[in-house]
Every structure is written in C-alpha cells, then in structure tokens.
Amino acid sequence: MSLIVAIENWTPDQWIERFRRLAPDLEVIDAREPFDPEAVRFAAVWKPKPGLLARLPNLQAIFNLGAGVDALLGDPTLPDVPVVRIVDPDLTARMTEWVVMNVLAQHRRMDHHRASQARAVWVPIDQPAAHAVTVGLMGLGVLGKDAAEVLRRLGFDLVGWSRSKHGLPGVTTYAGTAELPAFLARTDILVVLLPATPDTHGLLDRALFRQLRGAAHIGGPVIVNAGRGALQVEADILAALDAGELAHAVLDVFEVEPLPVTSPLWAHPKVTITPHCAADSDAEALAHRIVSGIATLKRGEALDPALVVDRTRGY
Amino acid sequence: MSLIVAIENWTPDQWIERFRRLAPDLEVIDAREPFDPEAVRFAAVWKPKPGLLARLPNLQAIFNLGAGVDALLGDPTLPDVPVVRIVDPDLTARMTEWVVMNVLAQHRRMDHHRASQARAVWVPIDQPAAHAVTVGLMGLGVLGKDAAEVLRRLGFDLVGWSRSKHGLPGVTTYAGTAELPAFLARTDILVVLLPATPDTHGLLDRALFRQLRGAAHIGGPVIVNAGRGALQVEADILAALDAGELAHAVLDVFEVEPLPVTSPLWAHPKVTITPHCAADSDAEALAHRIVSGIATLKRGEALDPALVVDRTRGY
C-alpha cells in the first residue's frame, strides 16, 4: 500500500514530509527515486511526467495537487482510474477574495487614485454605485457561485455564462456558444473562472473583447482572468488595450508560466499581474483530505462522485 | 415656506437646481444672495458660515448634506432645531466597497505584487487565508455593521469597538476606554469608522498604534481610516510607519482637506491615499430624502428620531 508523490515544477519534499507525518502507516514514495511500480496504489501528483502513471499496474486513484486537471488529462497514457479533484473550501474563499478585490479596485478607480497620489494632487472623481456596473462571470461552478454571492451582496449587477445552463439566484444566466454574445453585450467587467478545455482554449480573444459593453467611469470593458492562461490570447489583450477596446486586464494566469521576463504585459500600464496566486490551496488542509480519501478507498468505500473528474467534460 | 441652501467649500448651484426641480412648490434660496431671514423655515447645509443659521428666527430643521456633523455642531450659535443626518443606504454600500477593497488589498499584499510587476519578476508568496487575520472595527453604527457583514462573509476574524456596547453577530465586541487595550491587542487591521467628537479627537496616535497586534504576512499592523481626519495624528502615523510599528496606512480623511501638497503622506511608500471619496452619497437620492423630510414637517408630523442628531453625543 504505497502512495507515490510525483511533482514537476515544484519541489516535492514538503509534500512527502506532510504525507509521512499525517499517514505514518502509509509508505510514501518519492517518484524521483527508484521504486517498485507494483507496490503503488495511490498517486499524489502535479503535472507528472507523461507516461509515469501508466507504469503503475495496481494504481487505484490519482489525487491532483492543484485545481487544474488539464495537464494531467493531456497525457494520452493516463490510466483509467479515478482522478480526484481539489474542492477546497479554503481555495474557494481565496479565489473570492481575489476576484472581489480586483473587481472593486477597478470599479473604485484605484489606478486613478494611485496616479493622483504619485503627483500629490487631490482629485475626487464621480463614483457611481456598484449597481451601475454589471459583472459578467464566465464559469458558474463552485468558484463562480461563491464569488457571485459576495459581488451581489456588494450591490453589483451580475450576469453569468457557462457551458451548460446553471440557475443562480439573482443572476441572469446564459449558456453555450449561442448565448455568449448576449452575455458579453451586457458585461462591463468580465471575470473568467473557466477551466482549460479544448472548448475554452483561446476563447479570450479580440473578437470577444469587442463584444463587451464596459462602464463609462472605468473607461471601457475590463477583463479579470483567474481561470487558466490557455484561455487567453495575450497578443490580443495587448492589441485591445492599445486600441482602447479594453480599459484594463487583471491577470493571474498566463499562456506561459512563470510569465517570461520579455512579456510586454509586465510593463503595460493597463495590466495588473499576480503570479498565479489567486487561489493557492492550503497545503496542509489538502494533504489531510488526500489522506482521508486514501482511507476511504482502503475501507473499500467509494469516493464522493463530486470529487472525481469527468474526463469527457475535462474537469 | 423657504429652503435656504448654504454650502461652503463646494458650489451650491447643483443643489439649488436639484431642490427647485424636485420641489417646485418650495421657494429655494441661495445663501449667497440677499434674502428675507423670516421666510426661511428649512436649511440644507454643508459647513455653513458660523452664525448664519442663528439669523433665521423661523427655522424648523437643518438638513446636513454630508455624513459628518462635527463642523456644524462646532458653531456655538447653532439654533436649537433638529439637525437631520444623512442615512443613505447607497452611502453605506459605498463605504463597505471601500473598506472591503482596502482590507483585501492589504491582506492579499497587492503592494508586493505591484512592486514585483514593476521589476518584471514572478514572486509568489505564502498567502494565509482570511481567517488568519483579525480585522478590528472601530465604530459599530450603520457603516461598521455593514462592513462587518461582508468581511465576515469573506472569512475574516472580526472584533469590534464602540463607545457604548453593541452586540454584533459573530463579532467579539468591546466598549469604552477600559476595553480599548483588549480590542487593540487582538487587531491586525484596524478599520476606523468613528465620527469626529471631542472624545475621538486625536485618538489614532502612536500610543494606540503600539498596542495593535499586526499579522506577520502583512509585516505588522495596518490602519484604514475612513472616519474623520480629526481622529488621526498624522505626525504619529508617519513616525510609526518609519519605526516599523505600522506596516501601512490607508487614509481617506486628513487633518486638513484637501491634503496639502507639502504633506509627507503623499510620497510615503507605506501610505495609500484616496481624496475623501470612500463614501460619497448619491446627491439625487439625498435631495429626494430632504424634500420628503420637509414634506413630513409641513404635514406637522415628526421626523424619524433615528435621523436626528443627538447633540450631547455629537452624532
């Protein structure tokens, strides 16, 4: 009964230490060292080397250490065992913090106030109420629903869009490609919380930006992307900002991460960058949940179906 | 039956136009022109010239056009008629937007992210959840209660302080001078929404800052003042920032407004300034409420006692 820890991009040492501490009865294997593939029943992974998981004949479940499963599902050799997603209430709360902060900072013109402060000038501006601004949420899953709740409480007008129809109290919702133009035409600030799938790849392009409404006090439409970098066409974001078709872009995710030092996004005055930190999950809490999932499987019980990734949908 | 409009600091023209439009049967007088003092029954004022209101023998009520009544009550000749305060739901919502935005921006270290962006470097940081941060609210009136509700929903730990004891669901509350040290000792981010009264004058001084707790990820205690400039000792804020006793100050109000160009607050890297705009009220909505208050008095009915300023308390 072994758990293999296979992590690329980050160092796996802290995860190995956590699992050893939280589950002393479990043999924890470091994928960077030699190991017996037959002994491995469980895998805790983040972007593991393609092919690695296919070499484990007794694998029962894969626990993904990040919110996105696109990298994992992109491995054509991925074995047919349950892939367990993170649904971390803490992660949801952090995403809501980040979304609400950035929507408010745009609505309340903090860029203007910072520029005034830098020049030591006192320049009050006409400030509409939140209900004068429509926030359009793309992605109405756990994250989108939670952000919507707080944005509504703050008084923003809300519309929502998702692949399939979702009802959301107090939010006019749109679904699918056919209803996307109607959604965009009502949106002043676009908040993107979609997963990366073949359908959403490159969705945030110039043609889409041109369909946004935008609020006068902000100077036009704003996009706020905390979904996935693969959704956005960065050359189009820059072109739309420079053409005045977008007033601002707040980006936590990028086509290539870390964002290369050569990217013109860094220095653009109408771009706000955070380093893919909108919703880091609490590692300790996540390790607890994984250890408890392994215990469920060891008892011969099934995992909560809501936690298992649907491979046909891609999330 | 006349309404006099007496406004210093701003131009009164828009207010006069609004009242004439909303109440065509009311004679609206501009205090800058000659008028018959005996004809005036109502006054809509913002920091009127001391002594002006005392010259109106038939005055029935004074409607204050801003949230603070400290300037008005500071006039020793103020006649003994009801002073009507603004309680504007829109104003409350705007204040909550501003408070929530600034608490989140500190908690989520937006200064760090902006500095990283300016250097084109990708520097993720360890980000605790909101429940690891205690926001201390000074002032638990309409504004404090509303901000508390949203901050709680976002997961922050909350404590509250006010002159007299207020119960607030989910918030540990403290009252009066005796309980102030216990409140400060638990506070990481201090949000000040108190009115300016003789009791609160200069309250935010270095001795108070030294009692704050502060959160490690933010680098120490933070103060967020949207109450009144008279509450703060600006020399002490600067000294405490430079001594590392405060990590940051977010200020919407100042000892002198507009903040003089010579103030060292403008250029201080640990100070965020907004030009007394945290909660501008919607002028149109406010004018409606004043016209409706005048109609109530004309019918011989009493005003809602919650809207009338208690002069012994000072708000």
Coordinates of all heavy atoms in Angstrom, one line a residue, chain B residues 21 37 118 126 148 154 223 248 274 286 292 295:
Chain B
R21 N -36.1 71.5 -8.8 CA -36.7 70.6 -9.7 C -37.5 69.6 -9.0 O -38.6 69.2 -9.4 CB -35.5 69.8 -10.5 CG -36.0 68.8 -11.4 CD -34.8 68.4 -12.4 NE -33.5 68.3 -11.8 CZ -33.1 67.2 -11.1 NH1 -33.9 66.2 -10.9 NH2 -31.9 67.2 -10.5
P37 N -34.7 86.8 6.1 CA -34.4 85.7 7.1 C -35.7 85.2 7.7 O -35.8 84.0 8.0 CB -33.6 86.5 8.2 CG -33.1 87.7 7.6 CD -34.0 88.1 6.5
A118 N 6.5 45.7 -11.4 CA 7.3 46.8 -11.8 C 8.7 46.3 -12.2 O 9.4 46.9 -13.0 CB 7.4 47.9 -10.8
D126 N 3.7 33.3 0.2 CA 2.9 32.5 1.1 C 1.7 33.3 1.5 O 1.8 34.4 2.0 CB 3.7 32.1 2.3 CG 3.0 31.0 3.1 OD1 2.3 30.1 2.5 OD2 3.0 31.1 4.4
A148 N -18.8 44.9 8.5 CA -18.6 43.7 9.3 C -19.2 42.5 8.6 O -18.7 41.4 8.5 CB -19.1 43.8 10.7
L154 N -16.4 37.0 3.9 CA -15.2 36.7 3.3 C -14.2 35.9 4.1 O -13.2 35.4 3.7 CB -14.4 38.0 2.9 CG -15.1 38.8 1.7 CD1 -14.5 40.2 1.6 CD2 -14.8 38.0 0.4
I223 N -3.5 50.4 9.5 CA -4.7 51.2 9.9 C -5.4 51.7 8.6 O -4.7 52.0 7.6 CB -4.4 52.4 10.8 CG1 -3.4 53.4 10.1 CG2 -3.9 52.0 12.1 CD1 -3.5 54.8 10.7
H248 N 1.4 49.8 7.3 CA 0.7 50.5 6.2 C -0.4 51.4 6.8 O -1.0 51.0 7.8 CB 0.2 49.6 5.1 CG 0.0 50.2 3.8 ND1 1.0 50.2 2.8 CD2 -1.0 51.0 3.3 CE1 0.6 50.9 1.7 NE2 -0.6 51.4 2.0
T274 N -6.8 58.2 -0.6 CA -7.9 58.5 -1.5 C -8.5 59.8 -1.0 O -8.4 60.1 0.2 CB -9.0 57.4 -1.5 OG1 -9.5 57.1 -0.2 CG2 -8.4 56.1 -2.1
L286 N -30.2 61.8 -2.1 CA -30.2 62.6 -0.9 C -31.1 63.8 -1.0 O -31.9 64.0 0.0 CB -28.7 63.1 -0.6 CG -28.5 64.0 0.6 CD1 -29.0 63.3 1.9 CD2 -27.1 64.4 0.7
S292 N -38.5 65.0 1.0 CA -39.5 64.2 1.7 C -39.5 64.5 3.2 O -40.6 64.6 3.8 CB -39.3 62.7 1.4 OG -39.3 61.9 2.5
A295 N -41.5 67.7 3.5 CA -42.9 67.4 3.4 C -43.5 66.8 4.7 O -44.6 67.2 5.1 CB -43.2 66.4 2.2

